[in-house]
Amino acid sequence: MTLDAHAPVPPIVVLTTGGTIDKTYFDALSQYQIGESVVQRLLEVGRVTYPFRIVEALRKDSLDLTPADREILRATVAELATTRVVITHGTDTMTETARVLAGVGDKTIVFTGALSPARFSESDAAFNLGMAFATVQIAPPGVYITMSGQVFRADRVRKDREAGRFVPLT
Amino acid sequence: MTLDAHAPVPPIVVLTTGGTIDKTYFDALSQYQIGESVVQRLLEVGRVTYPFRIVEALRKDSLDLTPADREILRATVAELATTRVVITHGTDTMTETARVLAGVGDKTIVFTGALSPARFSESDAAFNLGMAFATVQIAPPGVYITMSGQVFRADRVRKDREAGRFVPLT
Amino acid sequence: MTLDAHAPVPPIVVLTTGGTIDKTYFDALSQYQIGESVVQRLLEVGRVTYPFRIVEALRKDSLDLTPADREILRATVAELATTRVVITHGTDTMTETARVLAGVGDKTIVFTGALSPARFSESDAAFNLGMAFATVQIAPPGVYITMSGQVFRADRVRKDREAGRFVPLT
Amino acid sequence: MTLDAHAPVPPIVVLTTGGTIDKTYFDALSQYQIGESVVQRLLEVGRVTYPFRIVEALRKDSLDLTPADREILRATVAELATTRVVITHGTDTMTETARVLAGVGDKTIVFTGALSPARFSESDAAFNLGMAFATVQIAPPGVYITMSGQVFRADRVRKDREAGRFVPLT
């Protein structure tokens, strides 16, 4: 892993799927929709030099994701050459998609997103993506979620929608 | 560790020491100086609910840190009850201070900072702090640096000042 | 007017009515709605020391404004002691409301708003509100609109919704 | 003027001279200096469609401006074909430069700047530039300053440096 300076650094692939993190405002429609992903911009502002590649897998509100969407996402991840995968995803069904990704093989997969759109001047997007980038580099293979300032195993977390935060499953 | 939902969550202590991350502009002086730490604000915007506590240890440009400052910092960390410590620090001598903190005991210590002040609309501060928060939760005891989108062991990294990035020691 | 340093400075009253400028994101609903007005915040960031007072008149998308709403707004403005009134308003029917305010008396009334929510890091809100604050201080009595970097007389402008800009009536 | 929809719209020329508004941070030097002007960016974010042109006249802290600099600036403004000129300028000697520009002819000249760098997420730059854009469109020929939320005649204002604001001359 990257903690060993002499090992080659495996690239991080970031799959974007939509969700609040990428919501933007279209004046001509007077409404918010999911726009082009802001992940590229966030990684530039974060001055990231660790090798990465961004792939748009989907562009949906996570409440609209279908079982077929999740299967495609699973297949996409399984076929990636790298062992380190970050997935940006809407928060409402993030844990559901994470469950489908379990057992995809010897990979470290980290889901993250935002409770507030990244285009807002006050958004949790950059912090959450930073957590995901660190986790994907140093956590053992498995599926994780980085939200609410915390690294969770994906099978031990749920979103508390009223409170607007991710909490441990008890 | 937090990846085990049934274990108690040890609080994160964030020690602030100054550096570019906290630089602000004082119009009455027509110059930039290190102001009150922005870490509290960054963690609020990041919607962090993991338990944390912020302690201002120093408020200096890292080029002005003395051996005495570093010893005080070391003693402060050694006395903390928690095993998880994040230290925000100027980037120019971050690796030097990190070396002094090595062997402080059974703690995970993560240094981070910013190449661009957090008060800028485009700053790496939130991303870097997010990386530090994830690393401190899941890395084994030791001293780390999270900069340039990467988690480094503190003894295997240097700042390339001309390039404006942290790179592995070779 | 304020250009005469020896004259008393009449206070500016800012009436907020809602619109895109005040749109925020409610995660628990997964949708955008009009939140508490950001005008106070914008004037603080703008370091405004000219005397002003903010009054929330309405909190609506401008497409939902009724003739009754507009009459109430007209009466509210007519009763104000000051001669200088800024009104933040949704852009879709801004010109329609402005028409109702015509002839309200010896006041300078300036409508403004935003094509992109003020909570976005890239929004025209601060610039537009700055234009409104200048116009209300120096323009003769009448009704104006400050959008798209331009000061318009309210009866000589329309919104070109496809182009996302305000243009002179020809 | 633009308030008459049937008159041609004279373009606004924005002369940039440096000052706090354009201050940026250079990590390799660990200091702040005046960088490339942010005016173009501010006008894009402001969705300005009024015709404008930006000219970099100087790139200095306003405390470093010399009488020769001011004469060059005066000559530059005098030679402009347009009657509408906005000048971004450091705040410490803004009134001094404005005095040199008095009587430059039949032009509306508006000075503005910022107490906090435009690159900060909380800066008065966008608001102040919006005030300048409105003032230059509708004020009669003369020299003005738009700072602290107010339109001043340039000969009736001073900067109160301790208070960090522009106040009327009494």
Side-chain angles (χ1 to χ4, degrees):
Chain A
M1 65 183 175
T2 65
L3 298 182
D4 177 355
H6 302 293
V9 170
I12 295 170
V13 172
V14 185
L15 294 175
T16 68
T17 69
T20 293
I21 192 171
D22 284 331
K23 282 207 175 157
T24 190
Y25 186 79
F26 294 96
D27 178 65
L29 310 168
S30 280
Q31 64 181 355
Y32 284 79
Q33 288 191 336
I34 295 165
E36 197 184 349
S37 180
V38 296
V39 167
Q40 175 73 39
R41 184 94 191 96
L42 291 172
L43 296 178
E44 280 169 16
V45 171
R47 307 273 197 111
V48 174
T49 57
Y50 190 102
F52 67 85
R53 187 162 60 89
I54 299 170
V55 178
E56 180 175 289
L58 294 161
R59 194 186 287 200
K60 283 193 172 184
D61 195 301
S62 79
L63 292 169
D64 298 331
L65 291 176
T66 64
D69 289 330
R70 294 195 167 92
E71 280 311 314
I72 290 169
L73 194 62
R74 190 186 201 285
T76 304
V77 171
E79 282 163 22
L80 291 172
T82 190
T83 55
R84 297 173 200 271
V85 185
V86 168
I87 302 177
T88 63
H89 194 284
T91 58
D92 283 325
T93 68
M94 188 184 279
T95 56
E96 197 176 328
T97 305
R99 226 172 294 136
V100 176
L101 272 286
V104 94
D106 203 38
K107 293 182 196 295
T108 301
I109 300 167
V110 185
F111 281 81
T112 197
L115 296 170
S116 185
R119 286 173 178 84
F120 272 31
S121 61
E122 295 184 4
S123 166
D124 50 334
F127 190 93
N128 292 346
L129 193 61
M131 284 200 297
F133 253 64
T135 301
V136 84
Q137 289 172 47
I138 64 176
V143 186
Y144 305 88
I145 285 179
T146 60
M147 291 292 297
S148 302
Q150 194 158 345
V151 183
F152 298 99
R153 278 184 39 179
D155 56 354
R156 298 198 182 162
V157 62
R158 67 179 180 87
K159 180 179 177 186
D160 179 339
R161 201 166 173 184
E162 278 72 48
R165 51 179 286 194
F166 281 70
V167 295
L169 268 185
T170 47
Chain B
M1 66 183 177
T2 66
L3 299 181
D4 177 354
H6 302 293
V9 170
I12 294 170
V13 172
V14 185
L15 294 175
T16 67
T17 69
T20 293
I21 190 171
D22 284 332
K23 282 210 173 151
T24 189
Y25 186 80
F26 293 96
D27 178 64
L29 309 168
S30 280
Q31 64 180 354
Y32 284 79
Q33 289 190 336
I34 295 164
E36 198 184 349
S37 179
V38 296
V39 167
Q40 176 74 39
R41 184 93 193 94
L42 291 172
L43 296 178
E44 280 169 18
V45 171
R47 307 274 196 110
V48 173
T49 58
Y50 190 102
F52 67 86
R53 187 163 61 87
I54 299 171
V55 178
E56 180 177 288
L58 295 161
R59 196 187 284 200
K60 284 193 171 182
D61 194 300
S62 78
L63 292 170
D64 299 331
L65 290 177
T66 64
D69 288 331
R70 294 196 166 91
E71 280 312 313
I72 290 170
L73 194 63
R74 190 185 200 283
T76 305
V77 171
E79 283 162 20
L80 291 172
T82 191
T83 56
R84 297 172 201 271
V85 185
V86 168
I87 302 177
T88 62
H89 195 284
T91 58
D92 283 325
T93 68
M94 189 184 277
T95 55
E96 198 176 327
T97 305
R99 228 172 293 137
V100 176
L101 271 285
V104 94
D106 203 37
K107 293 183 194 298
T108 301
I109 300 168
V110 186
F111 282 81
T112 197
L115 297 170
S116 184
R119 286 173 177 83
F120 273 30
S121 61
E122 295 184 4
S123 166
D124 50 333
F127 190 92
N128 292 346
L129 193 61
M131 284 201 296
F133 253 65
T135 302
V136 85
Q137 289 173 47
I138 64 175
V143 186
Y144 304 88
I145 285 179
T146 59
M147 289 294 298
S148 302
Q150 194 159 346
V151 183
F152 297 99
R153 278 183 42 178
D155 57 354
R156 299 202 181 159
V157 63
R158 66 180 180 87
K159 180 178 177 186
D160 179 340
R161 202 167 173 184
E162 279 70 49
R165 52 179 286 195
F166 281 69
V167 295
L169 268 186
T170 47
Chain C
M1 66 183 174
T2 67
L3 298 182
D4 178 354
H6 302 294
V9 170
I12 294 170
V13 172
V14 185
L15 294 175
T16 67
T17 68
T20 293
I21 191 171
D22 283 332
K23 283 210 172 151
T24 190
Y25 186 79
F26 294 95
D27 177 65
L29 309 169
S30 281
Q31 64 180 353
Y32 284 79
Q33 288 189 337
I34 295 165
E36 197 184 348
S37 179
V38 295
V39 167
Q40 176 74 38
R41 184 93 192 95
L42 291 172
L43 296 178
E44 280 169 17
V45 171
R47 308 272 197 111
V48 174
T49 57
Y50 190 102
F52 67 85
R53 188 162 61 89
I54 300 171
V55 178
E56 181 177 287
L58 296 161
R59 195 186 285 199
K60 284 193 172 183
D61 194 300
S62 79
L63 292 169
D64 298 331
L65 290 177
T66 64
D69 289 330
R70 293 195 167 92
E71 280 312 313
I72 290 169
L73 193 63
R74 190 184 201 285
T76 304
V77 171
E79 283 162 20
L80 291 172
T82 190
T83 56
R84 297 172 202 272
V85 185
V86 168
I87 302 176
T88 62
H89 195 285
T91 57
D92 283 325
T93 68
M94 188 183 278
T95 56
E96 197 176 329
T97 304
R99 228 172 293 135
V100 176
L101 272 286
V104 94
D106 202 38
K107 293 183 193 298
T108 301
I109 300 167
V110 185
F111 282 82
T112 197
L115 297 169
S116 184
R119 286 173 177 83
F120 273 31
S121 61
E122 296 183 3
S123 166
D124 50 333
F127 189 93
N128 292 345
L129 193 61
M131 285 200 297
F133 253 64
T135 301
V136 84
Q137 288 172 47
I138 64 175
V143 187
Y144 305 88
I145 285 178
T146 59
M147 290 293 299
S148 302
Q150 193 159 346
V151 183
F152 298 100
R153 279 183 41 179
D155 57 354
R156 298 202 181 158
V157 61
R158 66 179 180 87
K159 181 179 178 186
D160 178 340
R161 202 167 172 183
E162 278 71 48
R165 52 179 287 195
F166 281 69
V167 295
L169 268 185
T170 47
Chain D
M1 64 183 174
T2 65
L3 299 182
D4 177 354
H6 302 294
V9 170
I12 294 170
V13 172
V14 185
L15 294 176
T16 67
T17 69
T20 293
I21 191 171
D22 284 331
K23 281 208 175 154
T24 190
Y25 186 79
F26 293 95
D27 177 65
L29 310 168
S30 280
Q31 64 181 352
Y32 284 80
Q33 288 190 336
I34 296 165
E36 198 184 348
S37 179
V38 297
V39 166
Q40 175 73 38
R41 184 92 192 97
L42 291 171
L43 296 178
E44 281 169 15
V45 171
R47 307 273 196 112
V48 173
T49 57
Y50 190 102
F52 67 85
R53 186 162 61 89
I54 299 171
V55 178
E56 181 176 287
L58 294 161
R59 195 186 286 201
K60 285 194 171 183
D61 195 299
S62 78
L63 292 170
D64 298 331
L65 290 176
T66 64
D69 288 331
R70 293 195 167 92
E71 280 312 314
I72 289 169
L73 194 62
R74 189 185 202 283
T76 304
V77 171
E79 282 163 20
L80 291 172
T82 190
T83 57
R84 296 172 203 270
V85 184
V86 168
I87 302 177
T88 63
H89 195 285
T91 58
D92 283 325
T93 69
M94 190 184 277
T95 56
E96 198 177 327
T97 304
R99 227 171 294 135
V100 176
L101 272 285
V104 93
D106 204 38
K107 294 183 194 295
T108 301
I109 300 168
V110 185
F111 281 81
T112 198
L115 297 169
S116 184
R119 287 174 177 84
F120 273 31
S121 60
E122 294 184 4
S123 166
D124 50 333
F127 189 92
N128 292 346
L129 193 61
M131 283 200 298
F133 253 64
T135 301
V136 84
Q137 289 172 47
I138 64 176
V143 185
Y144 305 89
I145 285 179
T146 59
M147 289 293 298
S148 302
Q150 194 158 346
V151 183
F152 298 99
R153 276 183 42 178
D155 57 354
R156 298 200 181 162
V157 63
R158 67 178 179 87
K159 180 179 177 186
D160 179 339
R161 201 167 172 184
E162 277 72 48
R165 51 179 287 195
F166 282 69
V167 295
L169 268 187
T170 48

mmCIF file of all heavy atoms in Angstrom, chain A residues 122-136:
data_model
loop_
_atom_site.group_PDB
_atom_site.id
_atom_site.type_symbol
_atom_site.label_atom_id
_atom_site.label_comp_id
_atom_site.label_asym_id
_atom_site.label_seq_id
_atom_site.Cartn_x
_atom_site.Cartn_y
_atom_site.Cartn_z
ATOM 1 N N GLU A 122 -20.805 25.970 1.256
ATOM 2 C CA GLU A 122 -20.668 25.157 2.458
ATOM 3 C C GLU A 122 -21.209 23.763 2.194
ATOM 4 O O GLU A 122 -22.410 23.521 2.285
ATOM 5 C CB GLU A 122 -21.413 25.808 3.627
ATOM 6 C CG GLU A 122 -20.785 27.134 3.995
ATOM 7 C CD GLU A 122 -21.412 27.779 5.213
ATOM 8 O OE1 GLU A 122 -22.298 27.168 5.831
ATOM 9 O OE2 GLU A 122 -21.014 28.911 5.527
ATOM 10 N N SER A 123 -20.309 22.865 1.853
ATOM 11 C CA SER A 123 -20.691 21.496 1.525
ATOM 12 C C SER A 123 -19.729 20.537 2.184
ATOM 13 O O SER A 123 -18.542 20.825 2.340
ATOM 14 C CB SER A 123 -20.646 21.297 0.008
ATOM 15 O OG SER A 123 -20.704 19.912 -0.306
ATOM 16 N N ASP A 124 -20.238 19.382 2.559
ATOM 17 C CA ASP A 124 -19.390 18.342 3.127
ATOM 18 C C ASP A 124 -18.673 17.522 2.056
ATOM 19 O O ASP A 124 -17.951 16.570 2.383
ATOM 20 C CB ASP A 124 -20.226 17.423 4.034
ATOM 21 C CG ASP A 124 -21.508 16.915 3.369
ATOM 22 O OD1 ASP A 124 -22.024 17.590 2.460
ATOM 23 O OD2 ASP A 124 -21.989 15.839 3.760
ATOM 24 N N ALA A 125 -18.833 17.887 0.798
ATOM 25 C CA ALA A 125 -18.311 17.062 -0.292
ATOM 26 C C ALA A 125 -16.787 16.893 -0.249
ATOM 27 O O ALA A 125 -16.275 15.779 -0.344
ATOM 28 C CB ALA A 125 -18.739 17.650 -1.644
ATOM 29 N N ALA A 126 -16.046 17.993 -0.111
ATOM 30 C CA ALA A 126 -14.585 17.899 -0.158
ATOM 31 C C ALA A 126 -14.049 17.083 1.017
ATOM 32 O O ALA A 126 -13.160 16.239 0.845
ATOM 33 C CB ALA A 126 -13.971 19.302 -0.150
ATOM 34 N N PHE A 127 -14.597 17.326 2.189
ATOM 35 C CA PHE A 127 -14.157 16.580 3.376
ATOM 36 C C PHE A 127 -14.432 15.084 3.201
ATOM 37 O O PHE A 127 -13.563 14.240 3.466
ATOM 38 C CB PHE A 127 -14.878 17.128 4.612
ATOM 39 C CG PHE A 127 -14.351 16.606 5.915
ATOM 40 C CD1 PHE A 127 -13.367 17.296 6.602
ATOM 41 C CD2 PHE A 127 -14.828 15.425 6.463
ATOM 42 C CE1 PHE A 127 -12.868 16.810 7.810
ATOM 43 C CE2 PHE A 127 -14.337 14.935 7.661
ATOM 44 C CZ PHE A 127 -13.352 15.635 8.339
ATOM 45 N N ASN A 128 -15.630 14.759 2.742
ATOM 46 C CA ASN A 128 -16.006 13.352 2.581
ATOM 47 C C ASN A 128 -15.144 12.654 1.531
ATOM 48 O O ASN A 128 -14.738 11.499 1.707
ATOM 49 C CB ASN A 128 -17.479 13.249 2.175
ATOM 50 C CG ASN A 128 -18.415 13.685 3.280
ATOM 51 O OD1 ASN A 128 -18.002 13.820 4.435
ATOM 52 N ND2 ASN A 128 -19.670 13.932 2.945
ATOM 53 N N LEU A 129 -14.885 13.365 0.433
ATOM 54 C CA LEU A 129 -14.063 12.778 -0.618
ATOM 55 C C LEU A 129 -12.626 12.589 -0.123
ATOM 56 O O LEU A 129 -11.968 11.601 -0.457
ATOM 57 C CB LEU A 129 -14.099 13.673 -1.864
ATOM 58 C CG LEU A 129 -13.558 13.074 -3.151
ATOM 59 C CD1 LEU A 129 -14.341 11.829 -3.572
ATOM 60 C CD2 LEU A 129 -13.590 14.103 -4.281
ATOM 61 N N GLY A 130 -12.153 13.517 0.689
ATOM 62 C CA GLY A 130 -10.832 13.348 1.303
ATOM 63 C C GLY A 130 -10.785 12.097 2.175
ATOM 64 O O GLY A 130 -9.838 11.306 2.110
ATOM 65 N N MET A 131 -11.817 11.912 2.987
ATOM 66 C CA MET A 131 -11.877 10.694 3.807
ATOM 67 C C MET A 131 -11.852 9.438 2.930
ATOM 68 O O MET A 131 -11.179 8.454 3.249
ATOM 69 C CB MET A 131 -13.151 10.682 4.662
ATOM 70 C CG MET A 131 -13.103 11.608 5.868
ATOM 71 S SD MET A 131 -14.322 11.135 7.124
ATOM 72 C CE MET A 131 -15.838 11.398 6.176
ATOM 73 N N ALA A 132 -12.609 9.488 1.842
ATOM 74 C CA ALA A 132 -12.661 8.318 0.953
ATOM 75 C C ALA A 132 -11.295 8.038 0.328
ATOM 76 O O ALA A 132 -10.874 6.872 0.235
ATOM 77 C CB ALA A 132 -13.708 8.554 -0.147
ATOM 78 N N PHE A 133 -10.586 9.089 -0.076
ATOM 79 C CA PHE A 133 -9.269 8.907 -0.696
ATOM 80 C C PHE A 133 -8.267 8.292 0.282
ATOM 81 O O PHE A 133 -7.427 7.485 -0.111
ATOM 82 C CB PHE A 133 -8.748 10.240 -1.252
ATOM 83 C CG PHE A 133 -8.814 10.290 -2.752
ATOM 84 C CD1 PHE A 133 -10.045 10.243 -3.397
ATOM 85 C CD2 PHE A 133 -7.657 10.341 -3.523
ATOM 86 C CE1 PHE A 133 -10.117 10.254 -4.775
ATOM 87 C CE2 PHE A 133 -7.715 10.349 -4.901
ATOM 88 C CZ PHE A 133 -8.939 10.308 -5.533
ATOM 89 N N ALA A 134 -8.344 8.695 1.543
ATOM 90 C CA ALA A 134 -7.433 8.113 2.529
ATOM 91 C C ALA A 134 -7.810 6.664 2.819
ATOM 92 O O ALA A 134 -6.953 5.776 2.862
ATOM 93 C CB ALA A 134 -7.461 8.938 3.813
ATOM 94 N N THR A 135 -9.100 6.430 2.985
ATOM 95 C CA THR A 135 -9.552 5.084 3.337
ATOM 96 C C THR A 135 -9.207 4.082 2.242
ATOM 97 O O THR A 135 -8.744 2.963 2.512
ATOM 98 C CB THR A 135 -11.072 5.103 3.601
ATOM 99 O OG1 THR A 135 -11.338 6.025 4.654
ATOM 100 C CG2 THR A 135 -11.581 3.720 3.980
ATOM 101 N N VAL A 136 -9.413 4.483 1.002
ATOM 102 C CA VAL A 136 -9.178 3.548 -0.100
ATOM 103 C C VAL A 136 -7.690 3.196 -0.223
ATOM 104 O O VAL A 136 -7.326 2.137 -0.734
ATOM 105 C CB VAL A 136 -9.745 4.122 -1.425
ATOM 106 C CG1 VAL A 136 -8.767 5.072 -2.103
ATOM 107 C CG2 VAL A 136 -10.160 3.000 -2.372
#
